[in-house]
Structure formats: C-alpha cells, structure tokens
Amino acid sequence: MKRKNASGTNVLSAWRRLVSLVPPALLAAACTGVMAAPDEQALGRDAGYPRAPNLAQAYQQRYIVGSFSAMDRIAPSCTQPPSDHPSTLEKAEPQTDIRYRFRGGSYSLDDYMQRQRATAVVVIKDGRIVAERYNYDRTPEMRMLSNSMGKTIVALGIMRALEEGKIRSLDDLAQDYLPALQGSLYGGTRLINLMRMASGARFVEDYTPNDDRARVNAVLHRQGALQAALSVTERADPEGARFNYAGAQTMVLGLVLEAATGQGLCRWIGEQIWQPIGAAATASWLLNPVDREPIAAGGFNAIVYDYARLGMMLADDGVANGRQVVSREHLLDMTDAARQPPSFRPGTMVDSHGATYFGYGLQTWIMPGGSRRFALLGIYGQAIFVDPERKLVMVHMGVGKEASGDASGNHFGQERDALWRGVVATYGNW
C-alpha cells in the first residue's frame, strides 16, 4: 500500500510540474474547452484586435475583427434607439450539443469555432438561446456589422411602408416616389423587381477591384447615392427576367423608402421594426459622408442578441411581444419559394457563381428543402438563418478571408451551411 501511495504522490507531483510549465491562457482554454480560433495572430490578437484608423483600412486582415464590431466608431452613422420594453431572451441550461457533418467528418460547434473564422454563433430555439460561442475576444455587447443582411432589413421597412399606405404597390416604379430618378434605368424599374434583384441592369458584383460595385461606390463616395443610382444606365435583360445580385438596387430602395415615408432610414426602421421587435440595444446605420445617406445595402450594425430578436420575429411569422410587426403575408412574399417566379426558386435560380443552391425572394435568400427556410446573408460570413416551422434561428457573424465566398479554399460558406443543417437536424429533419 505504501508503494502505491508513493507512486500516486509522484504522479501528482509530476502533473503539477507539467501544469506549471503551461502558459495560463492556454491552460484556461483547455479547461473551458475553448481552443484557438483560426488566424488569430494575423487578425491582430497581439494588438488586442484593433479597429482601423479609417474606413479604407477596415477590411484589412489586421483590422477586420476590431472594425466589424466598431464600424460606427470609424465612420459617421445615425442611430436607432432600443425598445422601452426589450423582449426577454433567456438562456437554456445546459446548452444543446450541436453536431454536424462536413466532407465526411463529424464535428461539434466547438470544432466549428476552431475551424472557421466565425466571431459569434448564437442558436435560438423557441425564444431561448440553446448554444452560444464567440471567437477573437468578441462579446455580446459589441455592435457587429451586418454587411448585406441589412438588405433584408430595408425590405422589411418597404413592407411596413406598404402596410401603412406610404407605398401604394410594389408594381409602382421607383421614379413614382423619387422623381429625380425620372427617365433613368432604376427609376423606370418596378419596386418588385428591385426587391428581387431583377432590374435587368448590366451589373457585375464579384468584389474584384474594378467590378461595377467598385465603380458605383466610387460615384457614391464622390457625388452621393442619387448620382450613383443614375450612373447605372445599361440594361442587359428585361426587368424581372433574371436574378442578378447588385447592392445598387438596395441603395435605390433605401432612397425610395425615405422619399415615400418622408423619414430617414434610421427613424423609419427604428420605429417600425427595431423597437417593435423588442431590441435591447442601440443600433446604427453607417452614413455616406458626402450626402449623409445611410448605406442601405449593408451598413447596419447591431448586437448579436438583437439580430437574434430580429430572427425570432421572422421565425414567428412577424410577431414579437404579442404584436404583429410585419404581416405574415408580406413575409411569405419575401421568403416562400412557392411565391417566387420559377426561375427564382432554389434548384433553378442561377447565382453569380453559377450555383443553383439558393433561391431568392424579396431581398432575402431562400434555402432548399421540404420546409420553408430562409437566410439573411452578408459578405465575410454574416448570416441569420431562420426555420419558422421549428421556431429556430442561428445568428452567425464572421471575418472571412475574402468577401465573395469560398475562393480562399477554407469552404467557409459551405461549412457554415453544414452547421445550420446540423442545427436543424438536432430538432427534426431537413
């Protein structure tokens, strides 16, 4: 017995000596099950993930983490106050074990956070947070950039304007509300086709340095949003015929919404959408410095819990806090594949990469499958996935290596989709 005790003591002493050699940060990570996120050093870990000194540098690798959670401290913005009565967002204990399959392997949510450059992942089921993870020292209190998720928020504002009679019909032309667009390509396009990304304009948005997005943004930054809209002059297809993703169409919708309501985007979205969903924190829209117009196509910023509240409202067919924020019929118009023309449905719609996986509704991506599922998507990894049948939402924020998707070889978008499928599979069948 003494020999056994002595052996046990020696083992314990050896273990203590080994532990003393492990850096405290690494030891804490091992004890909590949280390991290093991808590319931490390249993304500015040693400098505390600093934000960029100006907007031009915000997308550089060493600044992107800090900037994406502080964009309204880099560029001018307008703000949307929170609700006077924030909706409750409870946390389930214990958290749900989320697992998914990808390229022949089986992984956990913790594995995902070690494999991909996600800053935050929050899963909500029936109004409760059932899983939650963060990378790169991000926290729930930080306002995070939407990128093109903001397009869907603009669309919700359009629907509310329709319900309030500020917009008469989505078959109206943009120039009916904004006479300054009279005679222009976008001015002569029906709102429904701007919402559907089907203006027919010849426009390439592939995030290369010289694409049409870059050209229009250069006009935007020099002369303002109206002149940027007028600079798109060539039509490649009849309007309504073909999906062609272009943020300039949302820019026009933002101008139309302000003209139709007589209110700025911050005020209209704040009063009609943000406060009614029970948002707990201030949100913001980045402003173009030249004309102080909000960046409707992707300049929205909010905390992840409020993105979750937005997703919960969408999952509950437009209801939040017992109030119908947006009508169910209008949400179905935005998100139901059966309500879209056949060439805009999953499996038949061809996106800018030649893929047919997604469909597109009204400023909203529609997912394939037997149930209605849809997503708000933004470049670099931003997403809100919604499954109304299961009252299931996943908020995903990221800092991908490049804007357009999986060109870097990390399969960020594909693995994120696999994670969402795993979340759905936890509660039912795809």
Side-chain angles (χ1 to χ4, degrees), residues 349-364:
M349 188 188 81
V350 180
D351 69 15
S352 57
H353 302 289
T356 59
Y357 181 75
F358 286 107
Y360 202 77
L362 305 185
Q363 299 284 290
T364 312

Side-chain angles (χ1 to χ4, degrees), residues 39-237:
D39 306 325
E40 287 181 333
Q41 187 169 357
L43 292 169
R45 179 196 61 196
D46 293 346
Y49 299 110
R51 67 178 185 267
N54 54 63
L55 198 58
Q57 298 181 64
Y59 294 83
Q60 294 179 8
Q61 292 299 290
R62 59 179 172 162
Y63 293 130
I64 192 170
V65 170
S67 297
F68 271 29
S69 51
M71 288 295 268
D72 53 14
R73 295 163 66 187
I74 300 172
S77 64
C78 60
T79 58
Q80 295 176 189
S83 171
D84 291 334
H85 306 285
S87 59
T88 302
L89 193 56
E90 298 179 352
K91 296 188 180 185
E93 293 293 346
Q95 291 203 342
T96 300
D97 180 23
I98 303 292
R99 300 198 66 84
Y100 67 99
R101 296 193 62 80
F102 183 65
R103 293 183 169 241
S106 177
Y107 302 100
S108 68
L109 178 55
D110 286 326
D111 293 330
Y112 180 83
M113 301 302 288
Q114 296 167 37
R115 291 168 57 85
Q116 297 294 350
R117 289 169 40 156
T119 48
V121 175
V122 180
V123 179
I124 303 94
K125 174 75 169 81
D126 296 323
R128 304 175 73 201
I129 296 174
V130 296
E132 182 176 18
R133 300 288 189 279
Y134 299 90
N135 273 341
Y136 311 114
D137 297 338
R138 300 305 90 186
T139 67
E141 296 77 24
M142 295 176 173
R143 278 197 295 274
M144 296 192 181
L145 178 65
S146 70
N147 286 320
S148 290
M149 296 195 307
K151 292 179 170 66
T152 310
I153 298 173
V154 170
L156 292 170
I158 292 282
M159 290 310 198
R160 283 294 301 134
L162 191 62
E163 292 164 15
E164 292 295 309
K166 305 290 186 180
I167 290 175
R168 295 177 296 275
S169 169
L170 295 184
D171 286 325
D172 289 348
L173 304 179
Q175 66 194 26
D176 294 341
Y177 300 92
L178 196 62
L181 290 177
Q182 186 75 38
S184 68
L185 186 151
Y186 283 141
T189 300
R190 292 190 300 157
L191 299 180
I192 187 67
N193 288 324
L194 291 171
M195 295 274 274
R196 197 167 271 145
M197 294 288 183
S199 68
R202 187 179 299 281
F203 201 102
V204 175
E205 183 164 322
D206 60 7
Y207 309 102
T208 54
N210 298 308
D211 69 354
D212 290 311
R213 176 178 180 267
R215 178 183 62 79
V216 168
N217 279 346
V219 179
L220 173 69
H221 297 149
R222 290 195 310 267
Q223 299 176 268
L226 180 60
Q227 289 302 313
L230 293 171
S231 73
V232 179
T233 59
E234 187 176 357
R235 202 181 292 276
D237 303 288

Side-chain angles (χ1 to χ4, degrees), residues 102-103 116 405-417:
F102 183 65
R103 293 183 169 241
Q116 297 294 350
D406 294 323
S408 63
N410 288 336
H411 310 294
F412 193 5
Q414 294 174 22
E415 190 161 359
R416 182 188 63 190
D417 182 76

Side-chain angles (χ1 to χ4, degrees), residues 186-406:
Y186 283 141
T189 300
R190 292 190 300 157
L191 299 180
I192 187 67
N193 288 324
L194 291 171
M195 295 274 274
R196 197 167 271 145
M197 294 288 183
S199 68
R202 187 179 299 281
F203 201 102
V204 175
E205 183 164 322
D206 60 7
Y207 309 102
T208 54
N210 298 308
D211 69 354
D212 290 311
R213 176 178 180 267
R215 178 183 62 79
V216 168
N217 279 346
V219 179
L220 173 69
H221 297 149
R222 290 195 310 267
Q223 299 176 268
L226 180 60
Q227 289 302 313
L230 293 171
S231 73
V232 179
T233 59
E234 187 176 357
R235 202 181 292 276
D237 303 288
E239 64 166 299
R242 185 174 70 89
F243 172 80
N244 186 29
Y245 190 85
Q249 294 171 98
T250 314
M251 176 179 68
V252 173
L253 288 171
L255 293 172
V256 167
L257 182 58
E258 291 189 324
T261 62
Q263 296 184 12
L265 194 63
C266 262
R267 181 177 176 184
W268 182 259
I269 297 296
E271 293 179 355
Q272 300 294 326
I273 305 295
W274 205 242
Q275 293 175 24
I277 68 169
T282 298
S284 66
W285 289 89
L286 302 182
L287 300 175
N288 181 38
V290 172
D291 57 2
R292 309 294 291 184
E293 279 294 334
I295 307 299
F300 188 70
N301 304 268
I303 65 170
V304 289
Y305 288 170
D306 283 343
Y307 283 129
R309 290 179 171 93
L310 176 66
M312 288 162 50
M313 181 272 286
L314 296 172
D316 206 18
D317 290 329
V319 174
N321 292 331
R323 170 184 174 182
Q324 194 77 44
V325 179
V326 180
S327 81
R328 182 176 186 272
E329 284 299 305
H330 282 153
L331 288 183
L332 290 173
D333 288 342
M334 291 175 62
T335 64
D336 188 348
R339 296 199 178 193
Q340 315 311 319
S343 59
F344 289 78
R345 297 173 187 173
T348 59
M349 188 188 81
V350 180
D351 69 15
S352 57
H353 302 289
T356 59
Y357 181 75
F358 286 107
Y360 202 77
L362 305 185
Q363 299 284 290
T364 312
W365 296 91
I366 300 175
M367 305 197 74
S371 297
R372 179 168 64 102
R373 298 187 191 92
F374 54 92
L376 293 66
L377 299 180
I379 55 175
Y380 295 98
Q382 324 317 314
I384 302 173
F385 294 95
V386 182
D387 183 332
E389 180 180 332
R390 293 167 180 80
K391 298 294 183 284
L392 189 60
V393 173
M394 183 174 80
V395 178
H396 182 291
M397 312 304 289
V399 285
K401 280 192 175 181
E402 33 74 39
S404 59
D406 294 323

